Each structure stands twice: as structure tokens, then as C-alpha cells.
Amino acid sequence: MAISEQEIQNIVRNVLQNMDTQSKKPEESKNLMGIFENIEDAIAAAKTAQKAIQPMPLEFREKIIANIRKKTIENAQKFAELGVEETGMGNVGHKILKHQLVAEKTPGTEDLSTIAWSGDRGLTLVEQGPFGVIGAVTPSTNPSETVICNSIGMLASGNAVVFAPHPAAKNVSNLAIDMVNRASVEVGGPENLAVAVENPTMEVSKVIFSHPDIALLVATGGPGVVTTILSSGKRGIGAGAGNPPVLVDETANIPKAAEDIVNGCTFDNNLPCIAEKEVVVVDSVADELIYYMEQAGCYHANAEEVEKLTNTVFVTNKKGQQTLNRDCVGRSAKVILSKIGVSVGDDIRCIIFEGDKKQPMIDEELMMPILGIVRVKDVDEGIATAIELEHGNRHSAHMHSTNINNLTRYGKAIDTAIFVKNGPSYAALGFGGEGYATFTIASRTGEGLTSSKTFTKSRRCVMADAFSIR
Ligand code: NAD
């Protein structure tokens, strides 16, 4: 049964009339739609918005999503510039491309499918319904990209979402939330389909993680937050850390492998979790690969520079643990090199060095355009080394080879959510590769590249003894 435009407007009006959440907003956040002072108010508003969206036809959800896509393209540059300015990380040009990718290739309602059985005893359907209100934690590395991508997928499946953005990226994340709501309201949909608070903190996240009105938690971030949501007692989707190795064997097209690896590694200054983080190469082609990587814009650091880099890239925190220096994460190769007193031109995109697999800049996930290169005697040692470096994250791995058996053996053995063969890592996001885009790759909990159907629950609908016309 089709619902007319007028009926949709009536549903929205009725729901909005019952809402008094707007009046609870502080003066300074009144201009940003969906941004509240208090997390309880934010969750209540999302709950109301979800009740408004759920009865609406999929066609109407698509109308809202089409407007989100349009506004994302229009504002891609603004989000890219603000993201770099606020976090100090990434590359404006690449961030524009990431927003365009999210707008164009994040699946909408077409992703939802139905399974049907019919026979003598009638017709049974399994359909994918919304969870209700979802709590979603988002990272500093792809802040507005993840907010917009999650919003499209979660709204397509009939949910509303309460975001817990990374505090270091709260302004750009909240601006993206505002845009999602404006896109909805402009086409006659409800406000507060996506919400957050002005000042996201760990305390705010704790409320979200234990709130009775939140049915599903989705975390895009490092191991800490993924473990936290998986320990919450609620259903959790964990998109965690990776340390993607790229393996190059002696059968690879070496000049192309070098170019692809440098392109993938340097995209948005290595912030994407799927990006090449270290190279494992068979000895017989290692020199040739390094030569072509230098041709592709790599600075080859010597032993002394590697030591200085290691001491710069890692810092000791208050608890005495070694952690990443946030002033290096997502910075360009030129900026990182300047921190150790090396001055290079803009043509230098990446820093390479040879090292042992235990070298911390190889072993740890850096999120900087620094690529350690580990030599191995043959592909078997290469597969074993890459598996060790991936640390069982089961996130992403890449390979350059023309030997189908080697590709197959590595793919099976490393068992990651993403495995790119003979291309830059970003091909996995649908950028220069087939398939849809997402910035939430549920490596840890196994959903893989998330899309609208990931945010649904299965519902069986049975018609007994009728509707079978076989
Ligand atoms: P982060 O882990 O520092 O922060 C991610 C989010 O989790 C933030 O919103 C932060 O406030 C929150 N958070 C962190 N610890 C928490 C805790 N104990 N309780 C509650 N909330 C907590 O990550 P980041 O630096 O913003 O992003 C980089 C990390 O995220 C990398 O490890 C990267 O691989 C990973 N990542 C994974 C994916 C994926 O799709 N699998 C995508 C992007 C980033």
C-alpha cells in the first residue's frame, strides 16, 4: 500500500508537535540541528525521530538519503578543510575525494533484501527491520566521512543514530550531523535522525553504551573502544584497528606495485585503517621495488634517520607506556621529516626504510606515510611474516603477484576482511575498484564492510496456508 506525500507530512507533523526536545537545547547550539547539551535529551530526540521514520515508505527514506548525498557533494570541500584544520591530520584534496566517495557509493535502501519461501503451507518472508536507535562511536581519522556514511546506512534501514564522535573532531562531526538533519527537514522528513552532544566525553559514551533506549552499538576506532562496546552487554559491531601488510612476490609487476603501494599508503596521509602500513617483499625483487618506490616519491631514510624517526613517532605517556605521537599521525612525509631536521620538497610523499619485522615502526599501526620494508627469502616466509605483522586483527591485507596460487594461499592464510590484489588499498573502498564504499569495516566482529543491511535485524513474517500460487 502506497502512502501519499500528504500522509507522510502528517505523520512527521504529529511527531514533531509532540516533541519538546528543541526547547531543552542551550542557546549556543540552537543553530546546529541534532546537537544537544545533554545526552539524555539527545537520545530522547533520536527515539522520537526513529518513531517518525519507521512507518514511512522506503521511497521516502531514499528521498532524504538523496538529499544527504547532494549536500555532501556540495559541502565536501568545507568538511575536508574543517577536518584537517580541527584534527591537524590528513590532506584536504584526498578528504574531498573521500566525501565524494561516501556520497556516491554508500548503499541506501537497495541494500535491504527479502528472503521468501512459498509452498503448500503458505508464504514465509524474512525481512530486515531496524534496530531502533543505534549508538555509534566515530574516529578522528575519518570524522565527517564516517558520520555521513553511518547516517546513510543506518537511516536506509530505518534507524536513528546517537553519535559519540571523537572529542578531537567534534566540530566537524557535529557539522556533519547538522547537515544530515537539514537534508531530512528540507524534504519534509524529521529532525534528529542523527544526534550528538556539544561536548562528547567518555562519560557521555558510557551513558550511550548502557542506555535502555539504544539497541545496537557500532564502534569505529581503535582496540579500546571496540573492546568497551563488546563488553557492554548489548549487540556490538566492532570496526577496529588494523596494520595492513602488503606482500610483493617475485612474479609481481614491480613498477606498478611500487606506484600502487605509494598511492595507497599516502592517501589522506595514511589515515585510512585499510592503507598499506608496511611492505614485505621477496629478496630477489626488493632492490627493484625500492628503486621504483623512490621514483614514485619516496624518501629512503638511513639508519640514523630511522632511529630519530622512531624516537619522534613514539612518545611515552603518563602511565609510562609507549604510544603514538599524535603530532605525527596523519601528517605529510615532509612535515614528519622536518621534525628530524630533514628538509625535502613537495614531491616527497612517503618515507621508506628497511628493517626487521620487530622494528616498532613496522610492527605498530602508525597512520603516517612511513613504510618499513621487510625482506624475506621467498613467498612462504613472506606469508608467515605478513600474518605476524597483521597481529590477528583480520582487518586488511594486500598483495602484488601474478601467481594465482600465491595470491590464493596468502588470502586464505591471512583471513582478513579486505584483501586487495594488484591495486592500491583504497580500491577496497570502491575507489578505483568495484563495490560499494564504507568507512566502518567491522573486522573484529566479522560483518566486514558495513552497509545498511548490517544495521538491521532479521524478522520472519509468516502467512499460514495462503498466498502460494504454485
Ligand atoms: P580512537 O580509538 O582513539 O578513537 C575512536 C573513538 O573511540 C573516539 O570517538 C574515541 O573518543 C572513542 N574511544 C576511545 N577509547 C574509548 C573507550 N575506552 N571508551 C569509549 N570510547 C572510546 O581512534 P582514532 O585515533 O580516532 O582512530 C584511529 C583508530 O581507529 C585506528 O586504530 C584505526 O585503525 C581505527 N579505525 C578503524 C576503522 C575500521 O573501519 N575498522 C575505521 C577508522 C579507524
Side-chain angles (χ1 to χ4, degrees):
M1 183 187 68
I3 300 183
S4 71
E5 193 80 8
Q6 189 53 48
E7 286 169 304
I8 294 166
Q9 303 288 347
N10 289 343
I11 296 170
V12 174
R13 201 171 306 113
N14 287 341
V15 170
L16 293 180
Q17 273 168 1
N18 291 332
M19 285 169 58
D20 66 346
T21 42
Q22 266 311 90
S23 61
K24 293 178 187 163
K25 282 186 173 188
E27 207 48 49
E28 61 273 22
S29 67
K30 277 217 163 110
N31 293 332
L32 283 190
M33 282 191 182
I35 306 305
F36 292 77
E37 187 180 19
N38 182 296
I39 187 62
E40 290 290 349
D41 293 341
I43 295 171
K47 190 177 173 185
T48 307
Q50 200 273 330
K51 292 229 176 316
I53 202 77
Q54 187 161 5
M56 292 179 183
L58 296 187
E59 198 182 337
F60 193 73
R61 291 184 206 166
E62 267 311 316
K63 209 169 163 180
I64 299 173
I65 290 168
N67 205 24
I68 297 174
R69 296 187 196 283
K70 178 170 164 275
K71 283 175 145 336
T72 303
I73 302 266
E74 286 166 2
N75 291 289
Q77 179 152 356
K78 185 166 96 181
F79 283 124
E81 286 173 354
L82 190 58
V84 172
E85 188 188 313
E86 186 179 9
T87 64
M89 304 191 293
N91 169 296
V92 172
H94 292 164
K95 280 199 188 291
I96 292 173
L97 294 174
K98 284 162 78 181
H99 284 84
Q100 288 168 344
L101 183 70
V102 164
E104 285 163 6
K105 294 189 96 170
T106 303
T109 57
E110 76 284 1
D111 194 47
L112 306 173
S113 58
T114 301
I115 300 169
W117 296 270
S118 70
D120 295 342
R121 299 308 310 266
L123 171 70
T124 292
L125 305 176
V126 174
E127 296 209 296
Q128 295 168 293
F131 269 89
V133 181
I134 299 175
V137 185
T138 52
S140 57
T141 46
N142 318 304
S144 41
E145 299 91 310
T146 309
V147 164
I148 298 166
C149 181
N150 280 183
S151 295
I152 292 175
M154 291 169 185
L155 165 63
S157 43
N159 302 285
V161 50
V162 180
F163 282 106
H166 195 292
K170 66 179 178 186
N171 294 331
V172 71
S173 304
N174 286 355
L175 199 67
I177 292 168
D178 171 76
M179 186 203 73
V180 166
N181 289 310
R182 283 182 199 278
S184 173
V185 171
E186 268 178 26
V187 297
E191 193 176 340
N192 301 323
L193 285 171
V195 299
V197 292
E198 283 174 290
N199 284 312
T201 59
M202 289 288 183
E203 282 62 42
V204 166
S205 294
K206 272 188 200 152
V207 176
I208 296 173
F209 297 167
S210 60
H211 202 284
D213 288 335
I214 293 188
L216 170 69
L217 296 172
V218 180
T220 309
V225 66
V226 171
T227 302
T228 304
I229 67 133
L230 294 182
S231 321
S232 68
K234 291 185 191 291
R235 163 94 198 277
I237 295 175
N243 190 35
V246 52
L247 176 58
V248 183
D249 78 6
E250 68 283 5
T251 71
N253 176 341
I254 300 296
K256 181 177 183 302
E259 184 72 35
D260 285 347
I261 292 169
V262 178
N263 285 342
C265 167
T266 55
F267 190 59
D268 206 15
N269 291 343
N270 200 247
L271 287 176
C273 51
I274 58 148
E276 294 83 348
K277 301 281 193 273
E278 64 277 335
V279 180
V280 179
V281 56
V282 171
D283 187 38
S284 59
V285 289
D287 290 337
E288 191 186 354
L289 184 75
I290 290 168
Y291 168 80
Y292 282 108
M293 288 178 85
E294 287 167 358
Q295 299 299 305
C298 290
Y299 179 86
H300 196 157
N302 63 32
E304 191 189 334
E305 289 162 344
V306 171
E307 198 183 331
K308 280 189 192 164
L309 277 171
T310 310
N311 292 332
T312 305
V313 156
F314 295 103
V315 287
T316 308
N317 69 14
K318 285 178 198 152
K319 293 179 188 162
Q321 300 153 330
Q322 208 183 43
T323 59
L324 284 183
N325 180 352
R326 300 303 291 195
D327 289 341
C328 292
V329 175
R331 276 24 178 220
S332 67
K334 186 178 174 176
V335 166
I336 296 170
L337 284 169
S338 73
K339 291 179 188 292
I340 61 157
V342 175
S343 171
V344 294
D346 291 330
D347 54 323
I348 292 299
R349 306 191 275 159
C350 185
I351 304 162
I352 55 172
F353 67 96
E354 279 195 62
D356 182 82
K357 62 185 176 187
K358 295 284 179 217
Q359 212 286 347
M361 291 198 296
I362 294 175
D363 192 48
E364 298 276 328
E365 183 199 31
L366 292 187
M367 296 179 286
M368 306 164 201
I370 299 178
L371 273 180
I373 299 172
V374 182
R375 279 180 197 250
V376 288
K377 70 174 186 304
D378 56 22
V379 75
D380 290 333
E381 189 188 338
I383 292 172
T385 305
I387 290 171
E388 213 178 317
L389 289 169
E390 213 275 323
H391 299 304
N393 291 317
R394 308 280 198 278
H395 192 300
S396 298
H398 315 297
M399 186 168 185
H400 292 267
S401 170
T402 54
N403 181 316
I404 293 173
N405 290 333
N406 288 352
L407 288 163
T408 308
R409 277 198 302 131
Y410 179 49
K412 278 191 181 182
I414 200 153
D415 190 24
T416 44
I418 285 175
F419 178 35
V420 175
K421 296 166 281 293
N422 300 323
S425 52
Y426 48 68
L429 301 181
F431 190 66
E434 291 300 326
Y436 64 87
T438 181
F439 279 91
T440 296
I441 295 131
S443 42
R444 182 114 163 242
T445 46
E447 292 81 358
L449 286 90
T450 59
S451 60
S452 2
K453 65 171 169 292
T454 316
F455 310 119
T456 60
K457 55 187 182 194
S458 286
R459 301 172 72 193
R460 181 180 277 214
C461 185
V462 180
M463 169 60 84
D465 299 322
F467 278 180
S468 173
I469 54 170
R470 289 202 286 188

